[in-house]
Amino acid sequence: MRAAQLYRYQLPMNAGVVLRERRLKTRDGLLVRLSDDGREGWGEIAPLPGFSAETLEDALPAARDWLMAWRAGDAPPLPAIASVAFGLSCAQAELDGTLPQAADYRAAPLCTGDPDELFARLDGLPGEKVAKVKVGLYEAVRDGMVVNLLLEALPDLTLRLDANRAWTPQKAQQFAKYVDPAHRPRIAFIEEPCKTRDDTRAFAAETGIAIAWDESLREADFTFAAEPGLRAVVIKPTLTGSLQKVRQQVAQAHALGLTAVISSSIESSLGLTQLARIAAWLTPQTIPGLDTLSLMRAQLVRRWPASTLPCVIVETLEPLL
């Protein structure tokens, strides 16, 4: 017999987490649990403020309506709302066993401005040293100096940079000016440095620094294509939609010889463990971008390996269905 539950959660964030000029004090979302014939599947629905097209208030009725129809024995199509489609499709995939258990818990460490902290985290790290640095939060010159310092100090380090379209072409050039050309090949890519795709393409051509598409993947006029200077696409499933759509985008990228990186939208530990499984399944050769649990002060239902944060159990959550 089918059963479906829907819960609301709210997790405290560390002080100082800022997304698109707004401070994120809590991470709010929904958890879904599907049960059928002794099997169970979980999913997380967590629109990211400032990035998702929908709000949690938009997601809630769509999720509830789908769950009620599914519980009644129907096979409703997934809602068009990205975060809802992703969370429900993950719950379905766990329920029917199509989401493999094997997970890639490697995560490119995230540096938001303190090079010393990144040095400490990378010191003695086995295997490939890949880190992610948020740029565009401070002056472009400072970002360039920090990136150059990291690459100079750690000769085996590869950096992924994320600018979230923060720079004008002039600011992007100021950044590049302070990165030694000899170090630039160790920048795996920079995600969308400029406000427009054409300016980002020009930046890659002028500096030799590889680029990646991120926000562009969610724009109506975007098409997958191999381009000079383009090395990767960054896929954020919560912002993308269903698991099927995520699989399609990974396949399109790989067919063009591009790297596909599964990346977090600051999901809870439950959502992150599912993203780690998706990464091991769809992009096994690529370290995913999942180092966002450090921004939170608690885990949720499922623990991330080696995390010492306290874990909120399902019995304490607010049931909505």
Side-chain angles (χ1 to χ4, degrees):
M1 181 176 175
R2 287 182 172 184
Q5 285 87 36
L6 182 65
Y7 304 94
R8 185 193 297 269
Y9 74 79
Q10 183 176 81
L11 300 174
M13 302 291 291
N14 289 330
V17 177
V18 177
L19 291 178
R20 294 208 167 146
E21 301 180 355
R22 70 173 78 180
R23 191 170 302 280
L24 194 65
K25 295 182 179 179
T26 62
R27 189 67 174 103
D28 298 71
L30 307 169
L31 290 187
V32 171
R33 177 163 59 183
L34 304 179
S35 305
D36 190 17
D37 194 26
R39 294 172 290 116
E40 186 174 270
W42 287 80
E44 177 171 350
I45 298 170
L48 184 61
F51 291 82
S52 291
E54 71 277 7
T55 65
L56 192 59
E57 288 66 34
D58 299 324
L60 176 55
R64 183 188 281 123
D65 289 349
W66 189 94
L67 289 168
M68 291 176 67
W70 182 87
R71 188 172 62 182
D74 295 340
L78 292 171
I81 299 173
S83 61
V84 182
F86 178 63
L88 293 175
S89 65
C90 281
Q92 286 183 302
E94 282 200 349
L95 185 69
D96 63 24
T98 57
L99 179 58
Q101 289 293 332
D104 187 348
Y105 291 116
R106 299 176 302 165
L110 177 63
C111 175
T112 55
D114 183 354
D116 291 336
E117 180 185 349
L118 185 60
F119 285 147
R121 295 186 64 188
L122 290 171
D123 185 41
L125 194 69
E128 185 181 4
K129 284 187 171 62
V130 178
K132 180 172 183 176
V133 177
K134 286 281 189 181
V135 294
L137 302 175
Y138 307 99
E139 285 299 317
V141 169
R142 178 193 182 277
D143 285 334
M145 294 173 69
V146 168
V147 166
N148 196 66
L149 171 67
L150 291 170
L151 292 170
E152 193 170 78
L154 297 169
D156 55 349
L157 174 66
T158 299
L159 287 181
R160 299 171 178 172
L161 309 180
D162 186 5
N164 288 131
R165 296 182 170 179
W167 291 329
T168 63
Q170 293 76 21
K171 290 284 187 183
Q173 287 297 332
Q174 288 176 7
F175 162 82
K177 179 181 176 181
Y178 283 85
V179 180
D180 188 328
H183 297 331
R184 293 178 189 179
R186 287 194 287 124
I187 297 176
F189 52 78
I190 180 168
E191 299 173 33
E192 309 229 14
C194 301
K195 299 181 189 302
T196 71
R197 270 181 254 162
D198 283 344
D199 285 343
T200 287
R201 293 180 178 110
F203 169 84
E206 293 161 7
T207 64
I209 296 174
I211 58 171
W213 298 136
D214 177 2
E215 290 92 341
S216 291
L217 270 67
R218 298 180 291 279
E219 294 178 336
D221 65 343
F222 179 79
T223 56
F224 281 82
E227 302 183 48
L230 177 64
R231 184 169 292 163
V233 295
V234 177
I235 299 172
K236 294 182 167 73
T238 285
L239 307 183
T240 299
S242 69
L243 197 49
Q244 180 183 5
K245 186 173 181 181
V246 171
R247 292 181 68 181
Q248 289 172 344
Q249 289 195 344
V250 171
Q252 286 175 289
H254 286 170
L256 294 168
L258 300 173
T259 298
V261 180
I262 300 297
S263 186
S264 161
S265 300
I266 317 185
E267 291 86 357
S268 75
S269 59
L270 184 145
L272 288 173
T273 61
Q274 289 186 323
L275 290 176
R277 291 161 66 186
I278 292 167
W281 177 29
L282 302 181
T283 60
Q285 306 305 317
T286 302
I287 296 176
L290 305 181
D291 188 38
T292 53
L293 188 59
S294 60
L295 303 176
M296 296 184 179
R297 296 170 63 184
Q299 302 186 75
L300 182 66
V301 179
R302 290 181 186 166
R303 292 181 175 273
W304 183 266
S307 175
T308 58
L309 291 174
C311 189
V312 175
I313 60 174
V314 67
E315 288 77 12
T316 65
L317 299 179
E318 177 189 359
L320 301 177
L321 183 67

